[in-house]
Amino acid sequence: MSVLLGVVALGAAAYFLLAPPPPSAIPDKPQSDPPVFVQPVQETIWQETVEALGTVRANEQAMLSPKITERVISVNFDSGQHVTKGDLLIELNDAEQQALLEEMQASLDERSRQLDRVKSVEGSGALSKSVIDEEVSKFTVAKAQVELAKARLADRTIYAPFDGVLGLKNVSPGELVEAGDPLVSIIDLTPVKVDFTIPERHFAQVKTGMPIRARAEAYPDRVFLGEVRSISPQIDPISRAAQVRAITPNEDFALRPGMLLIVELNLGEKHAMTIPESALSPIGDQQFVYRINNEGTAERIKVKIGRRQKGVVEILEGLEIDQPIVTHGHRVREGQKVQVVTEEEVFTDSTKS
């Protein structure tokens, strides 16, 4: 029996010596810090620009209408025709006014001759001053009646008020038109106005003469250049924006009133604190970055961002120039130790492997 117990004891001892230790007894295997790419916060000189939606407006635009009710005698234009200031466009019936003008002119001529005869004997004392004054008065009335007849005659003709392009024709010869009827529009398209709004924060930066660049959906590969001509003196209390008007050359009539333009206004140079856009870690509507402190530990920092340009974002608050931040690499956590690597190191390791 003693021999059997000895054998059992020896077997149990061998088991405990050869069996693997429990998991809790195994020491942790050292793990390396996650590799990350780091870049310092930089100061960049940006061309500060503002983008806005603009609307094309004619340099000059008018709807031509008659002042009186009369029948149309002739229409001397076609729809879409280019005309010059002073071109005769529409003639209304003026027979009665022509006859009236001739009558008034004859009366004026008679009064003029009578006044000359009176004045020829003015110094002789044959006529009293009251008689002479009466003749002068009659001559003045006759002259005024001639001017009135000419004005009424002019109301029967419609001329182009400026150089421009005519719209669609809404009148035909023989038609009876009434005062105020829209007959044809005329638009001056060289140059054109471009109206857009800017936020209140840029109001003090915008000056007349500043250049603009504009693009239209109808011409995706073309840039239209212009300059700021005027700025509204007041801010809209609802939108908190100011109205700006620019002038753009339009020799080929490519831009037409009502077109929508994307306007880019150059406000000049600006010193901006920037980081790569890839460094941002958005959480909800907030933006964060991971900054590396002197101990090589990642710190999550809340930042306020500004504009974005070609993969770079402006930092308004939260960082300082030259602070190292994680741009990309292994996902890190707050307080985690990291290994800063460079692209050259990654390239060397990959060639060795």
Side-chain angles (χ1 to χ4, degrees), residues 33-39 292-293 296-297 324-326 337-343 345:
D33 298 330
V36 293
F37 291 92
V38 171
Q39 181 173 315
I292 306 302
N293 60 21
T297 302
I325 59 168
V326 177
K337 281 278 190 177
V338 296
Q339 178 187 358
V340 177
V341 297
T342 63
E343 294 184 1
E345 292 174 340

Side-chain angles (χ1 to χ4, degrees), residues 208-334:
T208 56
M210 280 185 167
I212 69 162
R213 295 165 57 88
R215 289 181 171 82
E217 186 176 356
Y219 310 99
D221 300 325
R222 184 171 174 181
V223 176
F224 297 91
L225 303 179
E227 67 175 30
V228 174
R229 182 62 55 88
S230 56
I231 306 164
S232 173
Q234 61 184 9
I235 305 293
D236 187 280
I238 298 176
S239 64
R240 304 300 177 187
Q243 189 83 9
V244 179
R245 172 166 291 173
I247 298 295
T248 301
N250 192 37
E251 287 82 1
D252 60 351
F253 305 107
L255 297 177
R256 298 301 176 103
M259 273 188 172
L260 180 68
L261 298 182
I262 299 176
V263 180
E264 183 182 279
L265 177 62
N266 190 340
L267 299 177
E269 292 184 348
K270 174 186 177 182
H271 290 262
M273 183 167 54
T274 61
I275 63 172
E277 201 169 11
S278 60
L280 294 177
S281 297
I283 300 178
D285 59 351
Q286 297 179 333
Q287 297 285 352
F288 297 86
V289 299
Y290 284 93
R291 181 179 61 191
I292 306 302
N293 60 21
N294 295 332
E295 289 74 31
T297 302
E299 298 177 340
R300 192 173 74 180
I301 305 297
K302 180 182 176 181
V303 295
K304 181 180 179 180
I305 65 173
R307 296 177 302 135
R308 302 174 188 247
Q309 282 188 4
K310 300 179 180 179
V312 177
V313 62
E314 178 185 15
I315 298 298
L316 302 178
E317 296 178 4
L319 295 175
E320 296 179 0
I321 300 297
D322 293 332
Q323 286 183 330
I325 59 168
V326 177
T327 58
H328 53 284
H330 194 279
R331 183 180 293 275
V332 296
R333 300 186 305 274
E334 169 72 17

Side-chain angles (χ1 to χ4, degrees), residues 30-164:
Q31 295 182 354
S32 61
D33 298 330
V36 293
F37 291 92
V38 171
Q39 181 173 315
V41 179
Q42 298 180 346
E43 183 179 23
T44 307
I45 298 178
W46 272 3
Q47 289 294 331
E48 189 175 12
T49 59
V50 174
E51 279 197 354
L53 295 179
T55 301
V56 177
R57 303 194 185 280
N59 185 41
E60 301 288 351
Q61 184 171 356
M63 176 60 72
L64 304 184
S65 303
K67 295 181 180 179
I68 45 87
T69 299
E70 192 53 85
R71 193 169 302 279
V72 177
I73 297 301
S74 65
V75 177
N76 306 315
F77 67 90
D78 293 321
S79 298
Q81 179 180 334
H82 293 259
V83 294
T84 304
K85 180 180 180 180
D87 285 351
L88 178 60
L89 304 180
I90 300 172
E91 294 179 273
L92 305 180
N93 182 25
D94 61 358
E96 182 179 349
Q97 281 66 39
Q98 288 282 8
L100 182 61
L101 176 60
E102 292 177 3
E103 180 183 350
M104 294 298 103
Q105 186 64 53
S107 177
L108 176 62
D109 294 342
E110 175 60 28
R111 289 301 173 188
S112 178
R113 289 190 295 267
Q114 183 65 21
L115 182 60
D116 290 340
R117 286 193 294 268
V118 169
K119 285 187 175 182
S120 66
V121 296
E122 182 178 4
S124 64
L127 295 175
S128 65
K129 187 177 184 303
S130 62
V131 172
I132 296 174
D133 291 343
E134 183 179 357
E135 289 300 327
V136 172
S137 178
K138 290 179 180 179
F139 172 79
T140 303
V141 171
K143 186 177 180 180
Q145 288 177 338
V146 169
E147 295 302 321
L148 179 60
K150 287 181 178 179
R152 289 176 176 174
L153 182 62
D155 290 342
R156 268 70 181 172
T157 51
I158 298 177
Y159 297 90
F162 47 79
D163 297 351

Side-chain angles (χ1 to χ4, degrees), residues 188-229:
D188 179 10
L189 296 174
T190 54
V192 292
K193 302 169 184 174
V194 179
D195 289 351
F196 58 96
T197 57
I198 57 166
E200 181 182 355
R201 65 179 179 274
H202 296 303
F203 181 76
Q205 297 174 270
V206 181
K207 308 294 181 184
T208 56
M210 280 185 167
I212 69 162
R213 295 165 57 88
R215 289 181 171 82
E217 186 176 356
Y219 310 99
D221 300 325
R222 184 171 174 181
V223 176
F224 297 91
L225 303 179
E227 67 175 30
V228 174
R229 182 62 55 88

